[in-house]
Amino acid sequence: MTASLADVPRLLAVAISAAALGAGALTLLVTRRPSLALAVLLDLLLAAGLLRLGSDPGWQAIAVAAALVGLRRVIGAGLRVGGRSWARAPSAPGPGRSSRADLRQLLTPTWRR
Amino acid sequence: MEELLVDVVNVLVVLVEACAAAVIIIGAVWAFALFVWVGIRRRDAGAFVPVRLMLGRFLVLGLEFQLASDVLRTAVAPSFRELGQLAAVAAIRTALNYFLSKEIAEERRQVAEEGEDDRREAGPPSGTAGRGRTS
């Protein structure tokens, strides 16, 4: 009984991780903003990591939580510096714009444009 | 006497951690449902921000509970190895709490600024509001 109770947060953490992937994908599809989708994904993944850290405070869970915190900071800083989106592209000529141009726009660093 | 204290603290730790887990689970499930609803019904990037703010507040509250349980646990940690793990977990949670609070304040400021810009663009004579975002 005790073991099964201890497993509940772990199972819920897995469920929330799956929900994070779903919410991130939905956000990307709807808004076409990778930065926002990534933020949504990381927020829910962080909730899952905190649950896992509460149920099993071993070194691996600690390392995963620390990595998540660091990743959130690094990715957040990177996205704030070079924020861009599929929705608003300054060089968009019109409706005939290809997805290849979208991809190039996303992958080109801001300082090279 | 000491064993009784250890037992009482262990029960309290379990209770406080259960509260933390409940807060985080409720916040995550509610935020997920709102993300899906906003994604399907409103399809506006700005509508995701208040949901993220709400999830952040839930996470901060859950972290406060978890930190409380860490403090309780230090009373009965018997070995240096356990104390080391406890210190690492508490450090991570404190750092996360700090960064999350900063992010929430920053996003709230951005939402307020965008609302201000929308109102300015709408202008006084037209009287039509922009997107009408609330935090």
Side-chain angles (χ1 to χ4, degrees):
Chain A
M1 182 66 185
T2 315
S4 62
L5 267 182
D7 282 343
V8 171
R10 219 169 301 149
L11 288 175
L12 282 169
V14 173
I16 291 176
S17 301
L21 287 174
L26 179 72
T27 309
L28 184 62
L29 279 176
V30 169
T31 65
R32 311 200 79 184
R33 286 190 180 187
S35 59
L36 184 63
L38 206 57
V40 167
L41 174 76
L42 284 176
D43 280 349
L44 284 170
L45 278 184
L46 184 65
L50 286 179
L51 268 182
R52 210 169 286 135
L53 195 60
S55 68
D56 171 33
W59 287 116
Q60 197 181 346
I62 294 171
V64 168
L68 257 178
V69 174
L71 259 180
R72 273 175 62 89
R73 295 304 299 169
V74 171
I75 292 175
L79 289 176
R80 268 194 297 278
V81 169
R84 63 198 72 166
S85 77
W86 277 328
R88 281 188 285 125
S91 57
R97 192 175 147 77
S98 68
S99 60
R100 199 174 212 176
D102 282 338
L103 195 62
R104 204 178 310 129
Q105 158 87 16
L106 276 171
L107 294 179
T108 309
T110 312
W111 53 269
R112 284 189 64 187
R113 279 190 247 148
Chain B
M1 187 65 187
E2 198 180 325
E3 283 174 8
L4 179 68
L5 176 73
V6 170
D7 286 345
V8 169
V9 170
N10 281 336
V11 169
L12 284 176
V13 164
V14 170
L15 279 178
V16 175
E17 282 203 338
C19 287
V23 167
I24 292 172
I25 290 166
I26 290 170
V29 170
W30 194 1
F32 176 68
L34 282 177
F35 279 136
V36 171
W37 186 80
V38 161
I40 291 173
R41 299 294 297 273
R42 293 185 58 182
R43 295 177 164 268
D44 174 23
F48 283 83
V49 177
V51 185
R52 286 193 61 217
L53 280 176
M54 186 214 69
L55 177 59
R57 274 188 224 116
F58 269 96
L59 292 186
V60 167
L61 183 61
L63 273 169
E64 303 276 357
F65 274 109
Q66 287 187 335
L67 277 172
S69 83
D70 287 344
V71 172
L72 274 175
R73 226 183 246 155
T74 52
V76 292
S79 67
F80 270 112
R81 188 174 169 276
E82 281 189 18
L83 267 179
Q85 281 190 347
L86 208 52
V89 172
I92 288 173
R93 285 174 178 162
T94 307
L96 194 53
N97 208 349
Y98 172 73
F99 288 134
L100 267 178
S101 303
K102 268 184 75 172
E103 277 177 26
I104 286 175
E106 174 74 16
E107 295 226 358
R108 197 179 287 160
R109 192 183 57 78
Q110 278 180 5
V111 168
E113 274 180 8
E114 280 173 21
E116 193 89 359
D117 288 346
D118 285 350
R119 273 197 296 276
R120 210 171 296 145
E121 276 171 22
S126 68
T128 52
R131 274 172 287 180
R133 222 174 282 149
T134 55
S135 64

